[in-house]
Amino acid sequence: MSRTVSLPPNEKQKPSRTPQVFLNARLIDPESGRDEPGGLFVQDGLIADIGPHLRRNAPEGAAVIDCQGHVLCPGLIDAQVFTGEPGQEHRETLKTASRAAAAGGVTTMVVMPDTSPVIDQVALVDFIQRRARDNAIVHVHTMAAMTRGLEGEEMTEIGLLKRAGAIAFTNGKSSIANTRVMRNVLNYAKDFDALIVHHCEDPYLSATASMNSGEVATRLGLAGVPTVAETIVVERDVRLVEKTGSRYHASTITCGQSLEVIRAAKARGLKVSCGVSINHLTLNENDVTGYRTFFKVRPPLRHEDDRRAMVEGIASGDIDIIVSSHDPQDADVKRRPFQEAADGAAGLETLLPVALRLFHSGDVGLVQLLKAMTVNPAKLLGLHSGRLKKGAIADIILVDLNEPWVVNKDLLRSRSKNSPFDEARLQGRVLRTLVAGETVYQYAGNAASLSAV
Amino acid sequence: MTKIAPAQLTRFPHRHLLSCEGLTAPDISFLLDLADKAADRNRKVDKKRNILAGRTVINLFFEASTRTQASFELAGKRLGADVMNMLVASSSVQKGETLIDTAVTLNAMRPDIIVVRHHAAGAVELLSQKVDCSVVNAGDGAHQHPTQALLDALTIRRAKGRLAGLTVAICGDILHSRVARSNIALLNAMSARVRVIAPSTLLPSNPDRLGAEVYTDMWKGLADADVVMMLRLQHERMDGAYVPSSREYFHFFGLDHEKLARAKPDALIMHPGPMNRGVEIASTVADHSRSVIRDQVEMGVAVRMAVLEALSPNLPQA
């Protein structure tokens, strides 16, 4: 699983002119478990040195940044980001998404192929890479569609797409209903060691639904989809993986039963993993009350018991990664009657501060939490980044764990403002984001206190 | 133990009527008392009053409903308002797109009350957030239809003299029914006992959490009921999607004399209409002496007059 892929063009950024040293930091490397005071030296876009010996002593000629005891950790890798490029640039472009990412401490984002046209051909993978190279300020990788047009029928050119740089294969927001197609995709992808990422939701059970099935849906008079619609597909896929031996990742699970299936599959030694969206870790179906369409996401927000199960899955490590599932939608498609409103929530910029809720509540340890957003997605996707160690790419973030703030959706950098966390009180924010040694974001509110010593 | 007299309202404390959830017993009694008087007045030659003189009421129907629209229209006219009916074509899937635009456009025409029927749950509440006038929900998807529950309550109260302590069995397509949701909320607020009776495919998840006892056996569900309230089952749901056939449905969930015999001898028979005779209710039962189905229609006008009257003092007076 730790195979690496070659760097796409946009990772080959110009190295920073001046070496930089970050003193007086709390170094956290989720891979090794390192959590200690120290410093970090950045040169030529790489981490040239790291450790307690750099806590106060700056190497000759380096620009010095005093971290004031704040956390210095790897930049986040967000494995599920939807944008509107190409085709729906009014929702989001790679450029605007990357700015939101930088402000949220996300240094690598993986964009999904649910665009117009769908990313199902080599030329389109190339298009994303070129657009990202020219416009994005963070690393961008793309997943490619595993069936043509995401229609769930005909397999795409998985081998060629992978060679062109597609980091994984997915059917985006839709689930493959046809079991024969799914088996063939898994079987074929195995020959290229391609990772299959699947949105698990039985399309028949979810066809008319706009929220989770349960008391809230009953009260609101909305059609609901039960969690079993997800678990059935996860279970089916796992059984297929058992036959084919492929690498499989359930993109966002939402309930305890699905987690049980994944846990059991892992125990049987299958190359199976799963993710969860930040929304399903911190929100539940009650948030939908009042027909609040900013909380309409897919899969839908679940019962509080399922949210608790997801949090425990992160704490135990049974859930591998956390994604933002950033899905920008404009006001026109959100300000509609609930059942007709678009799914999706913007989440890149709030991913880390919202995730910190789980740390502040005592539910998940800090290193464990960061693991699910750094080294775990790196391993899953075969990336070098996501680690804080000598020789690694200097994708680094500086985080104040405690600064309190209130989200104002109009100040978010994403082109669409459909944040379910609008007006939420959060604790902790990103002070600085470095991509390959370059500062791509710096929190203005703390600019003074971050000035060079 | 001292008995506390129920609070008497002098004014209806809401700007809109969107849902039965959130209405208190005093709210409901206030509306029913007004409706009682309106019902008596409606039986006289001179039915007209000028409470809403100079006011404009718009009936905005995104879903056709002859009877509800006619009922609201009469109610508005008998109170002296100018009433305009609008049926917005709703065949296209994109209909929701224009809901807020429609609301803003109508709002600019300065209506005082808008009565809205929409096929999507929550749509009326959404619309109410975009206008300056009062909004009355005339049915939104499978969510709520408060004036239907009020007219049902008025019909029961006039026939039985009370609501508290009565056992009301609601039978039929609970899953898709705004009538059921409104009635359950209202009857609970008025301390009646509510039962729902339906095959499991026509029950929503966690139906008990709505405040009703759940039965899938109609014979048991009707035992000793004071009121039997039948719901309409749409034809497209009888073709094997939710129930196998209308024949099988009528056998197990249609109200015939045999099942009716399980209820109390003086049980009322109700139906919100329009009826599918022979599907959910036997023709002879619909026309039974204990059937109050026609009274429901009469009370419909009275209740809608009461609602418009109750909302009017809360409208801007200047």
Side-chain angles (χ1 to χ4, degrees), chain A residues 204-226:
Chain A
Y204 302 105
L205 287 174
S206 62
T208 58
S210 53
M211 70 171 296
N212 185 41
S213 175
E215 183 186 346
V216 181
T218 296
R219 266 184 203 290
L220 294 177
L222 293 170
V225 56

PDB file of all heavy atoms in Angstrom, chain A residues 204-226:
ATOM      1  N   TYR A 204     -31.047   1.843  -5.366  1.00  0.00           N
ATOM      2  CA  TYR A 204     -32.496   1.626  -5.330  1.00  0.00           C
ATOM      3  C   TYR A 204     -33.082   2.091  -4.003  1.00  0.00           C
ATOM      4  O   TYR A 204     -34.130   2.725  -3.959  1.00  0.00           O
ATOM      5  CB  TYR A 204     -32.817   0.145  -5.568  1.00  0.00           C
ATOM      6  CG  TYR A 204     -32.275  -0.347  -6.888  1.00  0.00           C
ATOM      7  CD1 TYR A 204     -31.144  -1.149  -6.945  1.00  0.00           C
ATOM      8  CD2 TYR A 204     -32.868   0.046  -8.084  1.00  0.00           C
ATOM      9  CE1 TYR A 204     -30.620  -1.576  -8.152  1.00  0.00           C
ATOM     10  CE2 TYR A 204     -32.343  -0.370  -9.301  1.00  0.00           C
ATOM     11  CZ  TYR A 204     -31.228  -1.176  -9.334  1.00  0.00           C
ATOM     12  OH  TYR A 204     -30.718  -1.585 -10.535  1.00  0.00           O
ATOM     13  N   LEU A 205     -32.366   1.778  -2.920  1.00  0.00           N
ATOM     14  CA  LEU A 205     -32.869   2.191  -1.614  1.00  0.00           C
ATOM     15  C   LEU A 205     -32.768   3.701  -1.415  1.00  0.00           C
ATOM     16  O   LEU A 205     -33.510   4.285  -0.636  1.00  0.00           O
ATOM     17  CB  LEU A 205     -32.102   1.475  -0.494  1.00  0.00           C
ATOM     18  CG  LEU A 205     -32.430  -0.005  -0.303  1.00  0.00           C
ATOM     19  CD1 LEU A 205     -31.514  -0.624   0.730  1.00  0.00           C
ATOM     20  CD2 LEU A 205     -33.889  -0.182   0.116  1.00  0.00           C
ATOM     21  N   SER A 206     -31.820   4.323  -2.123  1.00  0.00           N
ATOM     22  CA  SER A 206     -31.614   5.751  -1.894  1.00  0.00           C
ATOM     23  C   SER A 206     -32.257   6.623  -2.959  1.00  0.00           C
ATOM     24  O   SER A 206     -32.164   7.845  -2.896  1.00  0.00           O
ATOM     25  CB  SER A 206     -30.110   6.052  -1.821  1.00  0.00           C
ATOM     26  OG  SER A 206     -29.490   5.720  -3.043  1.00  0.00           O
ATOM     27  N   ALA A 207     -32.931   5.987  -3.923  1.00  0.00           N
ATOM     28  CA  ALA A 207     -33.400   6.721  -5.109  1.00  0.00           C
ATOM     29  C   ALA A 207     -34.194   7.988  -4.788  1.00  0.00           C
ATOM     30  O   ALA A 207     -33.910   9.044  -5.316  1.00  0.00           O
ATOM     31  CB  ALA A 207     -34.232   5.793  -5.983  1.00  0.00           C
ATOM     32  N   THR A 208     -35.184   7.894  -3.921  1.00  0.00           N
ATOM     33  CA  THR A 208     -36.040   9.064  -3.682  1.00  0.00           C
ATOM     34  C   THR A 208     -35.660   9.798  -2.407  1.00  0.00           C
ATOM     35  O   THR A 208     -36.261  10.815  -2.068  1.00  0.00           O
ATOM     36  CB  THR A 208     -37.516   8.636  -3.549  1.00  0.00           C
ATOM     37  OG1 THR A 208     -37.601   7.701  -2.460  1.00  0.00           O
ATOM     38  CG2 THR A 208     -38.011   7.978  -4.818  1.00  0.00           C
ATOM     39  N   ALA A 209     -34.657   9.289  -1.693  1.00  0.00           N
ATOM     40  CA  ALA A 209     -34.377   9.806  -0.361  1.00  0.00           C
ATOM     41  C   ALA A 209     -33.614  11.123  -0.402  1.00  0.00           C
ATOM     42  O   ALA A 209     -32.813  11.351  -1.288  1.00  0.00           O
ATOM     43  CB  ALA A 209     -33.574   8.782   0.430  1.00  0.00           C
ATOM     44  N   SER A 210     -33.886  11.973   0.589  1.00  0.00           N
ATOM     45  CA  SER A 210     -33.092  13.190   0.701  1.00  0.00           C
ATOM     46  C   SER A 210     -32.446  13.331   2.070  1.00  0.00           C
ATOM     47  O   SER A 210     -31.729  14.283   2.312  1.00  0.00           O
ATOM     48  CB  SER A 210     -33.951  14.418   0.396  1.00  0.00           C
ATOM     49  OG  SER A 210     -35.111  14.426   1.180  1.00  0.00           O
ATOM     50  N   MET A 211     -32.684  12.363   2.955  1.00  0.00           N
ATOM     51  CA  MET A 211     -31.992  12.396   4.246  1.00  0.00           C
ATOM     52  C   MET A 211     -31.974  10.995   4.851  1.00  0.00           C
ATOM     53  O   MET A 211     -32.441  10.044   4.240  1.00  0.00           O
ATOM     54  CB  MET A 211     -32.641  13.395   5.206  1.00  0.00           C
ATOM     55  CG  MET A 211     -34.015  12.995   5.720  1.00  0.00           C
ATOM     56  SD  MET A 211     -34.588  14.083   7.044  1.00  0.00           S
ATOM     57  CE  MET A 211     -33.375  13.764   8.349  1.00  0.00           C
ATOM     58  N   ASN A 212     -31.408  10.894   6.064  1.00  0.00           N
ATOM     59  CA  ASN A 212     -31.361   9.610   6.747  1.00  0.00           C
ATOM     60  C   ASN A 212     -32.769   9.166   7.143  1.00  0.00           C
ATOM     61  O   ASN A 212     -33.609   9.971   7.509  1.00  0.00           O
ATOM     62  CB  ASN A 212     -30.501   9.747   8.008  1.00  0.00           C
ATOM     63  CG  ASN A 212     -30.300   8.438   8.724  1.00  0.00           C
ATOM     64  OD1 ASN A 212     -30.085   7.401   8.087  1.00  0.00           O
ATOM     65  ND2 ASN A 212     -30.363   8.463  10.040  1.00  0.00           N
ATOM     66  N   SER A 213     -33.001   7.890   7.044  1.00  0.00           N
ATOM     67  CA  SER A 213     -34.273   7.332   7.471  1.00  0.00           C
ATOM     68  C   SER A 213     -34.321   7.309   8.993  1.00  0.00           C
ATOM     69  O   SER A 213     -33.354   6.917   9.633  1.00  0.00           O
ATOM     70  CB  SER A 213     -34.380   5.913   6.912  1.00  0.00           C
ATOM     71  OG  SER A 213     -35.532   5.297   7.380  1.00  0.00           O
ATOM     72  N   GLY A 214     -35.419   7.749   9.563  1.00  0.00           N
ATOM     73  CA  GLY A 214     -35.527   7.743  11.016  1.00  0.00           C
ATOM     74  C   GLY A 214     -36.556   8.739  11.489  1.00  0.00           C
ATOM     75  O   GLY A 214     -37.353   9.250  10.701  1.00  0.00           O
ATOM     76  N   GLU A 215     -36.512   9.009  12.774  1.00  0.00           N
ATOM     77  CA  GLU A 215     -37.539   9.845  13.369  1.00  0.00           C
ATOM     78  C   GLU A 215     -37.594  11.239  12.750  1.00  0.00           C
ATOM     79  O   GLU A 215     -38.673  11.782  12.506  1.00  0.00           O
ATOM     80  CB  GLU A 215     -37.298   9.967  14.878  1.00  0.00           C
ATOM     81  CG  GLU A 215     -38.367  10.768  15.575  1.00  0.00           C
ATOM     82  CD  GLU A 215     -38.054  11.019  17.046  1.00  0.00           C
ATOM     83  OE1 GLU A 215     -37.150  10.360  17.587  1.00  0.00           O
ATOM     84  OE2 GLU A 215     -38.724  11.878  17.636  1.00  0.00           O
ATOM     85  N   VAL A 216     -36.423  11.821  12.484  1.00  0.00           N
ATOM     86  CA  VAL A 216     -36.413  13.192  11.949  1.00  0.00           C
ATOM     87  C   VAL A 216     -37.063  13.222  10.572  1.00  0.00           C
ATOM     88  O   VAL A 216     -37.889  14.093  10.273  1.00  0.00           O
ATOM     89  CB  VAL A 216     -34.977  13.759  11.912  1.00  0.00           C
ATOM     90  CG1 VAL A 216     -34.991  15.192  11.370  1.00  0.00           C
ATOM     91  CG2 VAL A 216     -34.349  13.728  13.296  1.00  0.00           C
ATOM     92  N   ALA A 217     -36.701  12.242   9.724  1.00  0.00           N
ATOM     93  CA  ALA A 217     -37.302  12.171   8.381  1.00  0.00           C
ATOM     94  C   ALA A 217     -38.810  11.983   8.489  1.00  0.00           C
ATOM     95  O   ALA A 217     -39.587  12.593   7.738  1.00  0.00           O
ATOM     96  CB  ALA A 217     -36.673  11.036   7.588  1.00  0.00           C
ATOM     97  N   THR A 218     -39.230  11.157   9.410  1.00  0.00           N
ATOM     98  CA  THR A 218     -40.658  10.905   9.593  1.00  0.00           C
ATOM     99  C   THR A 218     -41.389  12.184   9.974  1.00  0.00           C
ATOM    100  O   THR A 218     -42.434  12.511   9.430  1.00  0.00           O
ATOM    101  CB  THR A 218     -40.856   9.825  10.667  1.00  0.00           C
ATOM    102  OG1 THR A 218     -40.278   8.612  10.187  1.00  0.00           O
ATOM    103  CG2 THR A 218     -42.318   9.597  10.968  1.00  0.00           C
ATOM    104  N   ARG A 219     -40.815  12.927  10.896  1.00  0.00           N
ATOM    105  CA  ARG A 219     -41.419  14.193  11.326  1.00  0.00           C
ATOM    106  C   ARG A 219     -41.474  15.209  10.191  1.00  0.00           C
ATOM    107  O   ARG A 219     -42.448  15.934  10.030  1.00  0.00           O
ATOM    108  CB  ARG A 219     -40.589  14.813  12.453  1.00  0.00           C
ATOM    109  CG  ARG A 219     -41.084  14.457  13.784  1.00  0.00           C
ATOM    110  CD  ARG A 219     -40.333  15.151  14.897  1.00  0.00           C
ATOM    111  NE  ARG A 219     -40.498  14.361  16.087  1.00  0.00           N
ATOM    112  CZ  ARG A 219     -41.656  14.255  16.743  1.00  0.00           C
ATOM    113  NH1 ARG A 219     -42.706  14.928  16.354  1.00  0.00           N
ATOM    114  NH2 ARG A 219     -41.757  13.475  17.796  1.00  0.00           N
ATOM    115  N   LEU A 220     -40.379  15.280   9.442  1.00  0.00           N
ATOM    116  CA  LEU A 220     -40.294  16.296   8.386  1.00  0.00           C
ATOM    117  C   LEU A 220     -41.052  15.877   7.127  1.00  0.00           C
ATOM    118  O   LEU A 220     -41.198  16.675   6.209  1.00  0.00           O
ATOM    119  CB  LEU A 220     -38.829  16.575   8.033  1.00  0.00           C
ATOM    120  CG  LEU A 220     -37.977  17.218   9.136  1.00  0.00           C
ATOM    121  CD1 LEU A 220     -36.534  17.370   8.682  1.00  0.00           C
ATOM    122  CD2 LEU A 220     -38.541  18.578   9.529  1.00  0.00           C
ATOM    123  N   GLY A 221     -41.482  14.630   7.080  1.00  0.00           N
ATOM    124  CA  GLY A 221     -42.198  14.173   5.894  1.00  0.00           C
ATOM    125  C   GLY A 221     -41.280  14.007   4.697  1.00  0.00           C
ATOM    126  O   GLY A 221     -41.708  14.153   3.564  1.00  0.00           O
ATOM    127  N   LEU A 222     -40.004  13.714   4.956  1.00  0.00           N
ATOM    128  CA  LEU A 222     -39.047  13.515   3.875  1.00  0.00           C
ATOM    129  C   LEU A 222     -38.743  12.028   3.721  1.00  0.00           C
ATOM    130  O   LEU A 222     -38.710  11.291   4.709  1.00  0.00           O
ATOM    131  CB  LEU A 222     -37.739  14.258   4.178  1.00  0.00           C
ATOM    132  CG  LEU A 222     -37.830  15.786   4.191  1.00  0.00           C
ATOM    133  CD1 LEU A 222     -36.543  16.392   4.747  1.00  0.00           C
ATOM    134  CD2 LEU A 222     -38.109  16.331   2.797  1.00  0.00           C
ATOM    135  N   ALA A 223     -38.506  11.614   2.479  1.00  0.00           N
ATOM    136  CA  ALA A 223     -38.158  10.214   2.245  1.00  0.00           C
ATOM    137  C   ALA A 223     -36.725   9.985   2.730  1.00  0.00           C
ATOM    138  O   ALA A 223     -35.840  10.788   2.457  1.00  0.00           O
ATOM    139  CB  ALA A 223     -38.269   9.892   0.761  1.00  0.00           C
ATOM    140  N   GLY A 224     -36.504   8.895   3.448  1.00  0.00           N
ATOM    141  CA  GLY A 224     -35.192   8.636   4.030  1.00  0.00           C
ATOM    142  C   GLY A 224     -34.533   7.404   3.458  1.00  0.00           C
ATOM    143  O   GLY A 224     -35.207   6.513   2.927  1.00  0.00           O
ATOM    144  N   VAL A 225     -33.203   7.377   3.554  1.00  0.00           N
ATOM    145  CA  VAL A 225     -32.459   6.186   3.156  1.00  0.00           C
ATOM    146  C   VAL A 225     -31.831   5.582   4.416  1.00  0.00           C
ATOM    147  O   VAL A 225     -31.191   6.280   5.196  1.00  0.00           O
ATOM    148  CB  VAL A 225     -31.389   6.509   2.083  1.00  0.00           C
ATOM    149  CG1 VAL A 225     -30.422   7.583   2.536  1.00  0.00           C
ATOM    150  CG2 VAL A 225     -30.629   5.250   1.695  1.00  0.00           C
ATOM    151  N   PRO A 226     -32.044   4.299   4.650  1.00  0.00           N
ATOM    152  CA  PRO A 226     -31.501   3.687   5.862  1.00  0.00           C
ATOM    153  C   PRO A 226     -30.010   3.397   5.707  1.00  0.00           C
ATOM    154  O   PRO A 226     -29.498   3.282   4.586  1.00  0.00           O
ATOM    155  CB  PRO A 226     -32.295   2.392   5.989  1.00  0.00           C
ATOM    156  CG  PRO A 226     -32.696   2.049   4.588  1.00  0.00           C
ATOM    157  CD  PRO A 226     -32.847   3.358   3.855  1.00  0.00           C
TER     158      PRO A 226
END
